[in-house]
Amino acid sequence: MSQIEAAKADAGTLDARTASPSYRYYVLGVLILIYMLNFLDRQIIGILAAPLKAEFNLSDSQFGLLGGLAFALLYSTLAIPIAWLADRFSRVWIMTGALTIWSGFTALCGLAGGFGSLFLCRMGVGIGEAGGVAPAYSLIADYFPKSQRARALAAYAFGIPLGMAAGTLVGGLLAATYGWRTAFIVVGVLGVLVAPVLRLTVKDPKRGGMDAPVTEAVKAEPVVHKAPPFSEVIKTLAPKPSFWLLAFGAASSSVCGYGVAAWLPSFFMRSFGLTLSQTAWYYSAIVLVGGVAGIWLGGSMADRLGKKSKAAYPLTPAIAFLISVPCFILAMNSGAVVGAIMPGSDPNGAAALTMAFLIFLIPTGLNLTWLGPITAAVQHLATPAMRTTASALFLLINNLLGIAVGIYYFGWMSDLLRPAFGEESLRWAIYTGMGFYLLSSALLFGASRTLKKDWVD
């Protein structure tokens, strides 16, 4: 049997309603692990900025291209045809292949001989990761009932702070001890070794099975959802203002979110005077604690408030982004705050670093609250048979703008402001990027007014 035939045979072999709760949560745990590896391989380049720039003599703008456009170009565009396949074939097979590809190219980054070859390897990482997220969203929607979906998707999103923290800590410590090439190779090989676990232990459930009423007749003959043509998915989503407001609202937040995540390690080294190893510990702790708390808060609040009003799904992150902006600015200026309280104190001393750490936890958590509620809302803008493709269209907009524009924007702006601000140009570049959070909040407030009308149960 060929792999394509096997993928067809495996697709929809399990009715998720008959699966035990423990198996459901096991599947969720495996998907979180895969997502963690996804972000580990995606974000590790942020902590490696200093050694990469030094070895290849890169400007901030060039590094922004490596972290953003090189990854996002094919990652975003290939997600659509891969999602189309995932609506027709086994999502587990597709994710297994994707994990193997992106992990293999991450390892190859460690063998790059210059900017060009590293750019191509990062494109390869993006090709693989194009098949990693939208199929997972669809799997979770078919394993968990509607009342638990936002929380399940929020739990899945734990892979983001876990992966970012692991990439920052492991990548930074490996690079400081053995060099940046070893960091790429080790984390890449890890993903290749995990791929068989996904393939051998996770089953592909019947599509839409958790949306059907639980009756004996339905148990005996589960509803079969035939994947519609791509054009029908477009016709379903295009007239819905909620889709565009949610997609561009998430994308606006991701411009700042991805950009800040990629450049904060460099900011800590330039403006706070931390070494590579110190930055690895410092930033990984911020991402882990703040990120996990923020994601779970967003998912749980949206599930609770969403029972009363669908508007809660976009309103939760909209309010969070408004709070994030002043918190980011305050955290970045903790030295000045401590200096005002304790004149003559070291602006980069223990007191300032501790204050910055505690304040950074707040916006780091709040800027990830959108993941559970917004991805859950997108799942309900289309029928179960369209979910993977609908998610991929959402992710196309979110990632093409968020990753490609966001990471490059901060590097480009830092170079632009360098004549005026010198080593502090990155600080001012991050200040300007906060405007994207304000734009995101406005778009999500708009989505809260249209979501009820566009919702599909």
Side-chain angles (χ1 to χ4, degrees), residues 50-118:
L52 284 171
K53 288 183 63 184
E55 177 148 346
F56 298 137
N57 193 28
L58 305 177
S59 67
D60 282 352
S61 298
Q62 287 176 307
F63 180 77
L65 289 174
L66 281 178
L69 184 64
F71 174 86
L73 187 60
L74 291 178
Y75 170 72
S76 302
T77 53
L78 285 179
I80 302 296
I82 291 174
W84 184 89
L85 290 172
D87 273 333
R88 288 156 178 79
F89 300 98
S90 168
R91 291 162 284 190
V92 174
W93 265 107
I94 288 171
M95 288 186 65
T96 301
L99 172 59
T100 304
I101 292 170
W102 88 59
S103 299
F105 273 105
T106 297
L108 288 175
C109 286
L111 305 178
F115 175 81
S117 57
L118 186 56

Side-chain angles (χ1 to χ4, degrees), residues 44-54 58 63 262-263 265-266 269 276:
I44 189 175
I45 196 168
I47 192 65
L48 302 180
L52 284 171
K53 288 183 63 184
L58 305 177
F63 180 77
W263 285 104
S266 296
M269 286 185 267
L276 180 59

Side-chain angles (χ1 to χ4, degrees), residues 74 77 110 112 126 176 179 183-184 268 332 363 367 372 377 393-394:
L74 291 178
T77 53
F184 275 126
F268 290 140
M332 293 171 66
N367 72 7
L393 287 167
F394 166 80

Side-chain angles (χ1 to χ4, degrees), residues 200-216:
L200 296 174
T201 65
V202 174
K203 292 186 177 294
D204 211 315
K206 290 182 171 64
R207 302 173 196 274
M210 296 300 289
D211 294 313
V214 181
T215 65
E216 292 304 315

Side-chain angles (χ1 to χ4, degrees), residues 53 59-61 263 266-267 270-271 332 409-433:
K53 288 183 63 184
S59 67
D60 282 352
S61 298
W263 285 104
S266 296
F267 169 78
R270 295 183 196 179
S271 297
M332 293 171 66
Y409 170 83
F410 288 98
W412 169 76
M413 184 59 70
S414 176
D415 283 341
L416 186 68
L417 296 175
R418 186 171 296 275
F421 297 102
E423 282 297 303
E424 288 295 302
S425 64
L426 184 55
R427 174 193 296 273
W428 288 90
I430 294 175
Y431 289 162
T432 67

Side-chain angles (χ1 to χ4, degrees), residues 42 136 155 212 232 260 272 280 294 299 310 316 318 328 338 352 389 429 455:
R42 183 187 309 190
E232 188 174 333
V260 168
F272 282 13
K310 300 294 188 293
T316 299
F328 263 125
V338 170
T389 305
W455 192 272

Side-chain angles (χ1 to χ4, degrees), residues 338-345:
V338 170
I341 299 172
M342 298 183 293
S345 61

